[in-house]
Amino acid sequence: MLKEGEIRIPSGCAISGIFSKSGKRISGESIIKSIATMHDRSNGLGGGFAAYGIYPEYKDYYAFHIFYDGNISKKECEEFLERHFDIINLSKIPTRKTPGITDVPLIWRYFVTPLPTKLNESQLDEKEFVARCVMKINTKINGAYVFSSGKNMGVFKAVGYPEDVGEFYRLSEYEGYSWTAHGRYPTNTPGWWGGAHPFALLDYSVVHNGEISSYDANRRSIEMYGYKCTLQTDTEVITYIIDYLNRKIGLNLEEISAVVAAPFWQVIDRMPKEEKEKYTYLRSAFASLLITGPFSILVGFDGGMMALNDRLKLRSMVVGEKDDMVYMASEECAIRVIEQNLDKVWSPQGGEAVIVTLNGGAK
């Protein structure tokens, strides 16, 4: 029998990100190599990747990646898509048989654009129309789950170790300017295909290491604005909070980080007047969206990536730079395995957002 201390669970979950500030597209091989280095931080119950810039030939269309339990749910979902979208292209997502990936659902990809008549009838802007359609599929069509819905980006996830997931989806055949990856070690939620990371809505994707103790409060708050948390994991709510604060409220990412990982009141009290007023407003206006508990997250978005720790830095995060490349990971070894000679490497402070964008530096 194992005694206490004889088995190591190293903070659970692994995250890694690679970003080219020049927009250079790189193969998925590097991110697979990076996340595989942290194999022992996950337990085979979930792995996944998000990639940006991978569909240049369809960059003006929303790329829906969808899991189906079977042909009945596929037929129902495709009928819904045909009523609301012009389907430019549809196909199975290419995969290869991988021993570590079993119980595979139907996995399809659709490049779509809203039908003008439906969009006009809805009186919504295009992104809100698409987001509501995604929510409707995920909550109303049994056995169908849209797990990626942005433009010129895609999420690829499964139950398995992340390196096996990368092999399964043939990610070495894709090229993107931004990649994130996740190896899952679920602690209080089930390991299933929909619960693997990344979680995505439109162009936003999130990978997360940690546990959100404020999940119920965050979920109740965000569901007042039309979102539905149905995937049995706390990370889902982070994605919706970011979408709500950025797309609907208009906060920038630095302001969003000051909401979800808000400074303590005693820190705010010592700030200069203008800064103090700003942070007081953000903490007060969006108090129910403060995320508490240990976490480190990587947020992918169109043209950029953000790394953020909880304000007490209870989960690890390391950032490295080399020329135009930026690397972010749970452990430095995951960066060094793909780039040994870094120009700069550091660990962000708790609550400190590291934001990189195309043709911009880390800040």
Side-chain angles (χ1 to χ4, degrees):
M1 178 183 293
L2 287 172
K3 297 180 181 179
E4 184 177 354
E6 290 183 345
I7 185 169
R8 177 173 176 263
I9 301 175
S11 296
C13 298
I15 60 177
S16 183
I18 302 173
F19 188 85
S20 169
K21 291 183 285 187
S22 68
K24 177 179 64 180
R25 295 169 67 217
I26 53 178
S27 159
E29 290 182 16
S30 293
I31 193 69
I32 295 172
K33 188 175 182 181
S34 173
I35 197 70
T37 306
M38 299 182 285
H39 176 89
D40 289 343
R41 294 180 70 102
S42 55
N43 65 357
L45 291 180
F49 302 80
Y52 291 77
I54 58 172
Y55 297 134
E57 66 274 30
Y58 293 105
K59 62 183 177 62
D60 296 324
Y61 304 104
Y62 294 92
F64 281 14
H65 293 187
I66 307 182
F67 291 142
Y68 295 117
D69 285 349
N71 287 317
I72 294 175
S73 56
K74 178 175 178 288
K75 182 176 183 293
E76 185 179 353
C77 184
E78 288 184 345
E79 288 174 352
F80 175 88
L81 291 176
E82 288 172 354
R83 290 196 304 270
H84 294 83
F85 296 91
D86 183 9
I87 301 175
I88 308 303
N89 182 284
L90 74 162
S91 65
K92 289 183 179 179
I93 292 182
T95 59
R96 65 165 56 93
K97 288 188 179 297
T98 306
I101 307 298
T102 58
D103 300 321
V104 179
L106 302 178
I107 313 172
W108 280 70
R109 174 171 55 208
Y110 305 81
F111 293 100
V112 303
T113 189
L115 288 172
T117 52
K118 287 290 186 178
L119 184 59
N120 290 335
E121 286 175 12
S122 72
Q123 297 185 326
L124 301 170
D125 66 62
E126 184 176 285
K127 286 189 174 182
E128 182 64 16
F129 177 86
V130 173
R132 291 194 186 188
C133 286
V134 169
M135 290 289 168
K136 185 165 290 188
I137 291 170
N138 290 351
T139 57
K140 301 296 185 182
I141 300 180
N142 188 38
Y145 166 45
V146 182
F147 64 99
S148 187
S149 53
K151 288 184 177 181
N152 200 15
M153 61 83 65
V155 167
F156 305 86
K157 62 182 183 177
V159 173
Y161 285 101
E163 57 268 35
D164 293 333
V165 175
E167 175 76 8
F168 172 74
Y169 280 110
R170 299 162 52 174
L171 294 187
S172 61
E173 300 174 19
Y174 293 82
E175 292 185 335
Y177 64 83
S178 175
W179 290 87
T180 62
H182 185 268
R184 193 171 185 220
Y185 200 118
T187 51
N188 56 12
T189 53
W192 68 293
W193 284 67
H197 301 210
F199 287 91
L201 180 64
L202 299 174
D203 297 326
Y204 308 94
S205 65
V206 174
V207 292
H208 163 228
N209 169 25
E211 184 174 349
I212 301 173
S213 56
S214 58
Y215 170 72
D216 280 336
N218 299 147
R219 177 185 56 80
R220 287 194 299 269
S221 177
I222 204 66
E223 286 189 341
M224 291 192 298
Y225 305 106
Y227 299 90
K228 297 296 181 186
C229 296
T230 61
L231 304 176
Q232 306 176 65
T233 180
D234 53 6
T235 310
E236 180 186 18
V237 77
I238 303 176
T239 310
Y240 301 155
I241 288 172
I242 291 169
D243 176 70
Y244 171 70
L245 292 175
N246 183 244
R247 180 172 62 88
K248 295 189 176 184
I249 300 300
L251 300 187
N252 61 39
L253 287 166
E254 288 184 351
E255 292 166 340
I256 291 171
S257 69
V259 171
V260 301
F264 292 99
W265 284 115
Q266 58 265 41
V267 175
I268 294 175
D269 287 341
R270 295 194 296 268
M271 291 178 177
K273 182 181 179 182
E274 285 190 13
E275 195 174 357
K276 180 179 178 179
E277 290 176 352
K278 174 183 176 181
Y279 283 90
T280 297
Y281 165 74
L282 292 172
R283 278 218 61 173
S284 302
F286 306 106
S288 61
L289 302 181
L290 168 67
I291 296 173
T292 59
F295 70 82
S296 59
I297 62 173
L298 294 178
V299 180
F301 57 95
D302 182 26
M305 184 186 297
M306 177 176 75
L308 182 67
N309 275 123
D310 65 87
R311 53 191 178 170
L312 290 176
K313 198 171 175 61
L314 297 173
R315 288 293 182 267
S316 57
M317 175 72 74
V318 181
V319 180
E321 290 189 84
K322 175 67 174 181
D323 299 328
D324 79 309
M325 300 298 298
V326 180
Y327 307 91
M328 307 174 182
S330 300
E331 299 182 18
E332 188 174 338
C333 65
I335 298 174
R336 296 285 184 184
V337 73
I338 52 177
E339 180 52 70
Q340 293 186 4
N341 301 310
L342 295 166
D343 297 330
K344 181 182 179 183
V345 61
W346 79 99
S347 293
Q349 297 180 3
E352 175 192 356
V354 178
I355 303 166
V356 291
T357 56
L358 291 175
N359 300 315
K363 59 180 181 179

